[in-house]
């Protein structure tokens, strides 16, 4: 998130206030709470955290201190949340799909998003898109496949502990093209610059994280790996982003399978599994073992905030999508993503081996 977006976010929250919501969560009123962000300052997770901060402070009658812990791809921050005392004084935001990927990539210290936290809410599901650069010569999926007939497609990713790392091999298998992974692009900004400079052919990113370059025409959306949530506020709807979908009854996965003699039904199932994996959302969490009364209070408080007209208006002005889910609903989505990742075990192992060579 650049300076302009930060100012817009501050203006949006300041204009509409932190809302009239109040909660009586045991032991939190008058306290200073730590909110851990598992990414660098200025990114999407940081923006969501600062959007929520004044609303949570007002609702809990507490002070919220935001702490950015981006080390090791967010694993250090996630571990800090997991290992904190379960007293409500440490909360935070995690990337569910990223942690699932880190565990699959044999990153032994990565916590399990399903069992190592008290999941309080999902703020928004990931709207994940495959992009090329404006000057790449690849304007659509047909263009991508034409290039793939002459050489492997070069894809920029972070590392073997990221969801983008696995999204690309799975998408390549569904579309039927060879690829070469180039690792080391940490963060959506680094991947965006790589594809804009022509260092790589394609990248995977969440739409919210690259909204500016897409608007300016610097990034070309080729394919939606997940659809934009129909009930999301502040995100582009599936109808406004000019790119086909991978999944669904009319999705590209089924079309490519039919054209290449594979099973359209199996391709559709795999495309849905891919969407579940990379779409696992941005979760508000606390340490495991939170007392049930406190967990229920925080779950309800976040639900009320995320569903409030004030928060949603501030989110729209800050160009941030909101798609709230309860802690129980969010846990179900994480478990679905974990099952999807297990389905692609052989593809995952092949991608990891390629990256190590």
């Amino acid at each position: 998130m650049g300076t302009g977006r930060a100012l817009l976010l501050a203006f949006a929250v300041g204009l509409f206030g932190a809302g009239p919501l109040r909660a009586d969560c045991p032991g939190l009123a008058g306290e200073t709470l730590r909110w851990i962000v598992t990414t660098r300052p200025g990114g999407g997770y940081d923006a969501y955290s600062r959007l929520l901060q004044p609303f949570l402070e007002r609702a809990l009658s507490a002070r919220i201190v935001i702490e950015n812990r981006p080390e090791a791809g967010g694993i250090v921050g996630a571990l800090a949340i997991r290992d904190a005392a379960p007293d409500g004084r440490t909360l935070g935001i995690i990337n569910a799909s990223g942690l699932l990927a880190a565990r699959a990539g044999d990153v032994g210290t990565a916590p399990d998003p399903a069992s190592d936290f008290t999941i309080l809410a999902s703020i928004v599901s990931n709207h994940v898109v495959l992009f090329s650069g404006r000057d790449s010569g690849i304007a659509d999926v047909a263009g991508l496949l034409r290039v793939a007939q002459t050489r492997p497609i070069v894809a920029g990713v972070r590392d073997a502990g990221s969801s983008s790392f696995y999204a690309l091999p799975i998408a390549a298998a569904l579309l039927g093209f060879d690829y070469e992974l180039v690792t080391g692009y940490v963060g959506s900004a680094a991947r965006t610059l790589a594809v804009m400079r022509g260092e790589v052919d394609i990248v995977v990113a969440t739409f919210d994280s690259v909204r500016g370059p897409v608007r300016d025409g610097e990034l070309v959306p080729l394919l939606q790996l997940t659809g934009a949530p129909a009930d999301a506020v502040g995100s582009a709807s599936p109808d406004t982003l000019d790119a086909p979908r991978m999944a669904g009854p009319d999705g590209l996965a089924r079309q490519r399978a039919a054209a290449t003699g594979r099973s359209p039904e199996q391709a559709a199932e795999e495309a849905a599994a891919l969407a579940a994996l990379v779409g696992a959302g941005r979760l508000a969490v606390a340490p495991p073992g939170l007392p049930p009364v406190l967990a229920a209070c925080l779950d309800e408080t976040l639900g009320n905030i995320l569903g409030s007209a004030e928060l949603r208006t501030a989110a729209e002005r800050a160009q941030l999508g909101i798609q709230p889910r309860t802690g129980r609903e969010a846990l179900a989505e994480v478990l679905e993503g974990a099952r999807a990742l297990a389905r692609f075990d052989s593809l995952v192992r092949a991608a990891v081996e390629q990256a190590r060579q």
Side-chain angles (χ1 to χ4, degrees):
M1 180 178 66
T3 303
R5 192 172 179 188
L7 291 172
L8 181 60
L9 175 59
F11 171 77
V13 174
L15 180 62
F16 292 98
L21 302 170
R22 288 287 189 276
D24 187 20
C25 294
L28 299 187
E31 297 293 328
T32 296
L33 313 185
R34 183 172 59 150
W35 179 280
I36 294 177
V37 183
T38 57
T39 61
R40 291 179 173 83
Y45 288 82
D46 187 66
Y48 279 105
S49 300
R50 295 182 191 280
L51 176 71
L52 286 171
Q53 181 183 21
F55 291 87
L56 266 177
E57 288 185 329
R58 179 79 61 87
L60 298 176
S61 299
R63 179 172 177 250
I64 308 290
V65 176
I66 292 178
E67 180 180 326
N68 293 86
R69 300 292 302 274
E71 302 92 340
I75 292 175
V76 169
L79 290 173
I81 300 171
R82 185 197 68 180
D83 297 339
D87 56 10
R89 290 170 174 80
T90 298
L91 308 171
I93 183 171
I94 63 170
N95 176 359
S97 62
L99 288 179
L100 287 172
R103 291 177 63 80
D106 297 325
V107 181
T109 60
D112 186 339
S115 61
D116 285 340
F117 303 94
T118 301
I119 300 178
L120 303 173
S122 175
I123 300 169
V124 67
S125 297
N126 294 323
H127 181 192
V128 182
V129 183
L130 184 68
F131 293 98
S132 64
R134 177 178 55 195
D135 301 324
S136 67
I138 300 174
D140 51 28
V141 174
L144 176 71
L145 295 176
R146 283 194 297 272
V147 173
Q149 291 176 353
T150 64
R151 60 172 176 80
I153 297 297
V154 181
V157 297
R158 194 190 84 194
D159 54 35
S162 65
S163 55
S164 64
F165 182 93
Y166 302 121
L168 283 161
I170 296 167
L174 286 169
L175 294 179
F177 65 82
D178 292 330
Y179 65 88
E180 176 184 338
L181 295 179
V182 180
T183 60
Y185 296 108
V186 179
S188 58
R191 291 192 292 278
T192 298
L193 287 174
V195 76
M196 286 167 52
R197 291 169 177 166
E199 297 172 14
V200 298
D201 296 314
I202 57 174
V203 294
V204 167
T206 59
F207 179 78
D208 270 346
S209 68
V210 295
R211 187 186 297 267
V214 173
R215 181 194 60 233
D216 297 339
E218 295 172 314
L219 284 185
V220 179
L222 301 178
L223 181 64
Q224 299 182 74
L225 303 186
T226 64
D231 56 346
V233 175
S235 282
S237 72
D239 296 329
T240 61
L241 188 59
D242 186 20
R245 292 192 193 186
M246 178 75 90
D250 299 319
L252 200 57
R254 288 185 67 97
Q255 296 176 32
R256 285 290 296 166
T260 56
R262 294 177 291 122
S263 167
E265 291 73 22
Q266 180 178 344
E269 290 177 2
E270 291 174 346
L274 172 59
L277 170 60
V278 298
R282 305 179 183 202
L283 306 184
V285 298
L290 207 63
V293 172
L294 182 55
C297 184
L298 288 170
D299 189 309
E300 181 180 7
T301 300
L302 277 163
N304 289 339
I305 291 172
L306 291 168
S308 69
E310 295 87 355
L311 187 281
R312 287 170 173 253
T313 302
E316 285 204 31
R317 287 182 172 268
Q319 299 180 357
L320 295 171
I322 298 292
Q323 184 203 15
R325 297 285 187 266
T326 66
R328 184 186 298 272
E329 292 169 334
L331 175 59
E333 292 176 354
V334 171
L335 292 173
E336 184 181 0
R339 289 190 293 270
L341 187 58
R343 180 179 187 133
F344 299 119
D345 182 67
S346 61
L347 284 174
V348 165
R349 291 182 182 277
V352 171
E353 287 303 314
Q354 185 193 105
R356 288 173 176 169
Q357 292 175 0

